[in-house]
Amino acid sequence: MAGTITALVAQKRNKERVNVYLDGEFAFGLAMIEALKLHKGQTLSDEEIERLRALDEVETAHERALNLLTYRPRSAEEVRRKLRESKKNFSETAIEKTIQRLEQAGLLDDKAFARYWVENREQFSPRSIRALRHELRQKGVSHRDADEALVDVDEEDAAYRAGRAKARRYAQADEETFRRRLGGYLARRGFPYGTVRDVVDRLWDEINTQTNSP
């Protein structure tokens, strides 16, 4: 595996990466910043080649993780799972070094992610505390971080906001149909029976008041 560097060529698709050729044959790719430390005619030992490949694996995993984070914030476990599923077949060592690097840079923070997730759900798709906790656990967020993010959630208000839009759709239904459909919808979002009952009562009264008002 040891050999002499015969060429260092910038990749066509990614100018920030360089292909390293040993003894006239392609050996591996490197980030530009690492390739700048090499030169033609330099002899690399087996150990040096292995170190450079391991270094580049971490760099590639880091780039993949950064790309994932451009779409939305993610938990550390989400990123870990995505890297494990990657076609690049990243080693566990490379994955864990990537996670550590992102956490140190403040780009992975499960506490912040949990707050983001809850706030996003609260704004666009209200759910029960139980449902939110389940979602956070699926994302790999710890019980402690999930509990901290959920401490200020007003479950009855969330149920009301979740049910209000649906209630308009059932406004022309009879009371039994209204209660069954709206109650089922809220129950599927994880809200407890008592909260569902109170919210359905409130929305039924509001619709009747609006319908009967002059």
Side-chain angles (χ1 to χ4, degrees):
M1 185 185 297
T4 300
I5 298 175
T6 51
L8 296 164
V9 182
Q11 294 182 1
K12 292 181 179 180
R13 293 187 178 181
N14 186 349
K15 298 300 183 181
E16 295 302 312
R17 290 184 58 77
V18 172
N19 290 332
V20 180
Y21 290 80
L22 297 178
D23 300 325
E25 296 185 0
F26 171 76
F28 52 86
L30 274 181
M32 177 70 74
I33 193 170
E34 294 299 329
L36 289 172
K37 301 174 184 177
L38 306 177
H39 59 84
K40 287 177 63 175
Q42 180 179 353
T43 299
L44 298 179
S45 67
D46 291 349
E47 292 75 15
E48 288 172 320
I49 293 171
E50 188 62 33
R51 181 186 65 80
L52 288 171
R53 283 178 168 166
L55 194 66
D56 190 59
E57 183 186 21
V58 174
E59 191 62 32
T60 303
H62 184 256
E63 289 179 6
R64 170 61 177 153
L66 288 176
N67 184 56
L68 291 170
L69 293 170
T70 61
Y71 296 99
R72 66 165 174 81
R74 296 176 187 270
S75 68
E77 185 59 27
E78 273 190 290
V79 173
R80 188 178 283 111
R81 290 170 186 167
K82 289 290 186 181
L83 292 178
R84 285 172 180 162
E85 294 167 2
S86 171
K87 294 179 181 179
K88 296 289 186 179
N89 294 317
F90 296 117
S91 67
E92 285 299 312
T93 298
I95 291 172
E96 291 309 315
K97 284 184 177 180
T98 297
I99 297 297
Q100 184 179 36
R101 182 174 169 183
L102 292 169
E103 288 177 336
Q104 290 175 342
L107 297 175
L108 275 184
D109 182 337
D110 277 5
K111 288 181 183 294
F113 168 76
R115 291 194 299 271
Y116 155 82
W117 189 265
V118 170
E119 289 169 2
N120 185 270
R121 283 301 200 202
E122 284 281 276
Q123 184 175 357
F124 298 108
S125 185
R127 282 165 165 71
S128 68
I129 291 175
R130 184 180 66 178
L132 289 170
R133 181 177 285 110
H134 177 69
E135 289 180 345
L136 289 172
R137 292 298 296 147
Q138 284 188 316
K139 299 295 184 184
V141 175
S142 70
H143 286 293
R144 183 179 64 184
D145 289 343
D147 287 344
E148 286 184 14
L150 294 167
V151 69
D152 293 324
V153 173
D154 184 332
E155 192 162 57
E156 184 157 343
D157 178 65
Y160 175 75
R161 288 184 290 106
R164 187 169 50 191
K166 284 289 183 180
R168 297 191 191 102
R169 294 178 56 184
Y170 306 143
Q172 303 305 315
D174 58 74
E175 182 175 359
E176 180 183 354
T177 301
F178 177 90
R179 289 182 177 277
R180 174 169 50 80
R181 290 183 177 177
L182 185 57
Y185 171 76
L186 293 173
R188 288 191 295 274
R189 272 173 141 57
F191 293 106
Y193 171 76
T195 299
V196 171
R197 179 195 59 207
D198 292 345
V199 168
V200 170
D201 286 345
R202 178 181 173 185
L203 288 169
W204 174 251
D205 288 344
E206 286 182 6
I207 284 178
N208 276 293
T209 298
Q210 293 170 3
T211 301
N212 298 324
S213 62

